[in-house]
Amino acid sequence: VQEAVGPVQRARLNWIGSIHYDGLDGWATFKMHLNGERANATMDITLERQRGEWTVATGRIVTDGGQVVTIGETSLASNESPSH
């Protein structure tokens, strides 16, 4: 994140997304808007919950200038979408 936008000065969570969990497993997707020292960006995040622990599965940051940074495993982000 810091490479793309610099130190984050403000982050806004936008709950345009979805969340699903059953017991200790699940997933959530949402969008965040970042204001950084060097650039502003939008970040799309997918979290996975396994055995009660949430982790970042995939993420993608796109700066206002068009720079794209991929976070996590790209195979899930581009090839699969949750079906629940």
Side-chain angles (χ1 to χ4, degrees):
V1 173
Q2 286 202 6
E3 277 185 37
V5 300
V8 175
Q9 298 171 334
R10 183 175 179 207
R12 294 185 321 270
L13 180 62
N14 185 356
W15 275 107
I16 296 176
S18 57
I19 185 169
H20 171 80
Y21 60 94
D22 183 17
L24 298 177
D25 298 322
W27 54 264
T29 60
F30 56 92
K31 185 178 295 263
M32 290 185 75
H33 300 282
L34 305 174
N35 297 103
E37 191 172 279
R38 289 192 307 269
N40 297 325
T42 301
M43 180 166 54
D44 294 301
I45 297 288
T46 298
L47 303 176
E48 287 184 338
R49 185 178 188 201
Q50 295 179 345
R51 295 180 297 280
E53 183 176 327
W54 288 99
T55 58
V56 175
T58 61
R60 185 172 187 247
I61 299 169
V62 180
T63 68
D64 289 349
Q67 180 182 1
V68 176
V69 178
T70 302
I71 302 167
E73 298 175 7
T74 58
S75 61
L76 282 176
S78 60
N79 297 327
E80 297 181 25
S81 62
S83 60
H84 303 324

